[in-house]
Amino acid sequence: MNDVLDRLAELLEQRKAADPQSSYVAKLYSKGLDGILKKVGEEAAETIIAAKDGDAEKIIYETADLWFHCMVMLAHAGLKPQDVLNELARREGLSGIEEKLSRRQD
């Protein structure tokens, strides 16, 4: 899985220098963070609808779209998929309740 994410991350970096007229990703980058986040929101909503419908193929397809657009967001912010994987690894074995408590700012 990591290989796919790494290859996609590299492609997304390359698209930063591409012409928005010839690259969908470059067009997203040209819209700035707000445009990218709007697309992430749209894809999240489509993923929710697919999950509610219960169609496995649609769930997979829409989740792939959501992950892709989240990766565009990460790349825009100068982050890599490995940064997210590292955070997931940090949380491994930690209960959700404990993890939430560790973020409290009291």
Side-chain angles (χ1 to χ4, degrees):
M1 175 174 72
N2 220 8
D3 291 343
V4 172
L5 296 177
D6 288 341
R7 286 193 306 270
L8 180 54
E10 179 60 35
L11 181 66
L12 295 176
E13 283 300 314
Q14 292 171 8
R15 293 297 193 260
K16 286 181 177 180
D19 179 1
Q21 297 296 330
S22 64
S23 166
Y24 172 75
V25 173
K27 189 173 185 177
L28 278 176
Y29 286 138
S30 74
K31 293 179 180 183
L33 183 59
D34 287 346
I36 294 167
L37 295 178
K38 179 179 177 189
K39 194 63 183 167
V40 169
E42 289 172 8
E43 297 303 339
E46 290 173 6
T47 302
I48 292 166
I49 292 166
K52 292 283 282 178
D53 289 345
D55 182 325
E57 281 186 37
K58 286 182 182 177
I59 294 168
I60 292 166
Y61 183 87
E62 295 301 342
T63 300
D65 279 353
L66 177 58
W67 286 14
F68 175 85
H69 289 88
C70 284
M71 287 189 61
V72 172
M73 175 193 63
L74 289 170
H76 180 78
L79 300 169
K80 303 277 186 210
Q82 190 61 49
D83 298 320
V84 177
L85 294 173
N86 291 345
E87 176 60 15
L88 289 172
R90 184 191 70 78
R91 295 180 187 187
E92 191 173 7
L94 183 64
S95 84
I97 294 169
E98 290 173 4
E99 198 282 325
K100 280 187 121 173
L101 286 173
S102 74
R103 291 187 276 150
R104 290 181 68 150
Q105 301 290 331
D106 296 14

